[in-house]
Amino acid sequence: MKLELNIKDKATWLSKEKPFIIAGPCSVESPEQVLATAKALAVNAKISALRGGIWKPRTRPNSFEGMGEEALPWLKEAGKAVGLPVATEVAKAEHVEACLKNDIDILWIGARTTVNPFSVQEIADALKGVDMPVFVKNPITPDLNLWLGALERINAAGIQQLGAIHRGFSSFDKTSYRNAPMWELPIELKLMCPNLPILCDPSHIAGNIDLLFGVMQKAMDMEMDGLMVESHIDPSVAMSDAEQQIDPSAFEEMINNLHFRTTASSNQEFKANLEQLRTVIDEIDEELIRKLALRMGVIGKIGDYKKQNDVTILQIERWEQIVKNRTMLAGESGLSNEFIKKLLELIHQESIRIQTEVMNK
Ligand code: PEP
Ligand code: MN
């Protein structure tokens, strides 16, 4: 399915050179803090825009909720001093109005707002007749439709300089990331709207400095159009998200170490080899699908058999034995434990679905 968005060609409003980098503090804390950060970032890291949070949506009350409207001019002045457009997060119509009054150049909608269609619509209404770049962060939950819906609402208000930001998702599985990247979701979004620019926010995915570079590089390898990174002149005293903010010089080093690969190569030998390997993949996939279909056919027969003999669908010992035995086999073949477990779970779910259908016939 394709998503029909009426947007401007990204080449006309995102920086020509990839990647488009928005960097700056999680929160604007003082005129001095945002200016010092802006100067350090602009000189060395060659960023495209300066970010700074003004209103901070906090999970629990009584934590720092941002400096509010009075900090908008601090952000704008810092941007002016280094010749950069400035970006901030809006969560309601009032925020949009205050940003317009203070000449803020770029807006984004945060993850906690994207989940709420009422809030998104309120922001969209406040943006009617306005022509400026707006980015929509993915919702906290891994729900592509909420993300699409928010993009559609903002676009329907007339915003054509539209982009998305991938900042990872809350998940029950404990991972080393603050927010699980689930790359398949931004990839699905890219497939649905190939013209929509997508930035990656590695800071909120990683949640700490150690994982930051890996996510930045992965984003570049996933053909993302740019990055939004939290950078603070002195992260140790940051009033929000201290663990994940990076100081400008370390950030510069990371940017310089990024490896930019191209999507295509004109090297003929490379092309021929790639083509050959892809043919092999096509054949393997075909075989996998036929085998899966065969497996599901047998599953159906077993279902029939169980029904005739009044036996339950799930026999937990059999399932445990399958997982144990297949995981071992997969390990011997060099496949990861996590991968094979996920795959088996999917296969098992489908098998149960088929047998339930047989039972209810
Ligand atoms: C932020 O960018 O500071 C922020 C609050 O991000 P998110 O909406 O992704 O949590
Ligand atoms: Mn933050």
Side-chain angles (χ1 to χ4, degrees):
M1 195 185 91
K2 288 267 182 276
L3 185 71
E4 293 305 327
L5 292 174
N6 179 16
I7 53 177
K8 263 195 198 140
D9 180 1
K10 57 190 172 191
T12 66
W13 63 278
L14 277 185
S15 64
K16 299 263 175 316
E17 291 141 54
K18 261 172 95 171
F20 184 83
I21 298 174
I22 305 178
C26 173
S27 305
V28 175
E29 298 166 5
S30 69
E32 297 75 27
Q33 169 252 10
V34 66
L35 181 62
T37 309
K39 282 186 174 161
L41 284 170
V43 173
N44 302 316
K46 295 179 212 80
I47 63 173
S48 321
L50 177 70
R51 67 154 279 158
I54 301 292
W55 303 277
K56 302 304 297 178
R58 304 315 296 269
T59 305
R60 307 275 307 272
N62 305 322
S63 30
F64 172 62
E65 296 193 318
M67 300 304 288
E69 193 167 339
E70 87 170 306
L72 281 172
W74 308 345
L75 176 64
K76 182 67 194 179
E77 287 307 316
K80 265 198 208 153
V82 295
L84 284 176
V86 296
T88 200
E89 172 178 344
V90 289
K92 41 186 177 177
E94 262 171 55
H95 297 165
V96 175
E97 283 145 23
C99 286
L100 293 176
K101 223 165 50 198
N102 285 276
D103 223 6
I104 301 302
D105 307 280
I106 302 169
L107 303 181
W108 82 83
I109 296 179
R112 289 165 191 75
T113 306
T114 307
V115 290
N116 184 345
F118 287 132
S119 302
V120 175
Q121 191 56 52
E122 179 186 317
I123 294 168
D125 292 341
L127 283 168
K128 282 215 173 95
V130 175
D131 183 22
M132 71 190 299
V134 178
F135 288 90
V136 178
K137 283 198 170 193
N138 66 253
I140 295 191
T141 45
D143 181 340
L144 185 62
N145 280 325
L146 275 174
W147 202 1
L148 297 174
L151 287 161
E152 285 174 314
R153 285 176 199 276
I154 300 300
N155 190 224
I159 294 293
Q160 295 189 352
Q161 299 176 61
L162 186 63
I165 300 175
H166 166 229
R167 50 79 77 198
F169 303 86
S170 277
S171 105
F172 285 117
D173 301 333
K174 266 269 148 274
T175 68
S176 36
Y177 298 107
R178 177 177 174 191
N179 290 293
M182 302 187 184
W183 294 99
E184 62 279 12
L185 277 106
I187 290 172
E188 182 68 24
L189 178 65
K190 208 187 215 343
L191 289 172
M192 292 180 79
C193 358
N195 305 325
L196 183 77
I198 308 180
L199 311 184
C200 175
D201 172 344
S203 303
H204 285 86
I205 291 177
N208 63 65
I209 303 302
D210 299 336
L211 295 176
L212 192 63
F213 180 77
V215 181
M216 279 166 60
Q217 182 61 58
K218 173 96 179 190
M220 293 300 99
D221 291 338
M222 292 288 123
E223 272 291 289
M224 297 279 165
D225 296 276
L227 301 167
M228 177 189 267
V229 176
E230 288 191 341
S231 176
H232 190 292
I233 193 68
D234 183 0
S236 69
V237 296
M239 295 167 85
S240 56
D241 283 350
E243 329 71 58
Q244 73 190 29
Q245 299 205 61
I246 184 156
D247 73 69
S249 62
F251 178 54
E252 180 201 353
E253 200 178 317
M254 284 188 187
I255 294 283
N256 290 337
N257 284 328
L258 276 182
H259 191 89
F260 297 103
R261 300 172 172 96
T262 48
T263 42
S265 161
S266 51
N267 180 328
Q268 286 307 322
E269 193 186 324
F270 164 80
K271 277 189 181 166
N273 285 339
L274 186 67
E275 218 31 67
Q276 205 178 11
L277 290 171
R278 283 183 169 162
T279 313
V280 177
I281 292 287
D282 291 347
E283 283 164 12
I284 295 175
D285 282 352
E286 208 179 301
E287 205 178 312
L288 274 174
I289 289 172
R290 288 193 206 293
K291 290 272 192 242
L292 279 172
L294 268 177
R295 189 188 197 280
M296 294 307 165
V298 177
I299 288 291
K301 279 200 191 115
I302 296 181
D304 257 337
Y305 216 59
K306 285 179 179 169
K307 184 179 181 180
Q308 283 163 28
N309 291 280
D310 245 354
V311 171
T312 55
I313 293 178
L314 180 69
Q315 273 98 39
I316 198 76
E317 314 77 46
R318 163 75 179 153
W319 174 237
E320 278 169 351
Q321 182 206 339
I322 287 186
V323 173
K324 199 167 143 203
N325 160 296
R326 309 309 192 251
T327 320
M328 207 156 78
L329 183 65
E332 284 164 12
S333 316
L335 294 172
S336 86
N337 220 312
E338 193 190 348
F339 166 68
I340 204 68
K341 282 212 167 112
K342 270 195 189 147
L343 184 66
L344 285 173
E345 254 161 42
L346 263 182
I347 292 176
H348 192 225
Q349 272 169 20
E350 180 63 2
S351 306
I352 287 181
R353 191 192 65 76
I354 290 172
Q355 293 197 349
T356 308
E357 226 173 69
V358 170
M359 288 285 177
N360 293 340
K361 227 191 283 168

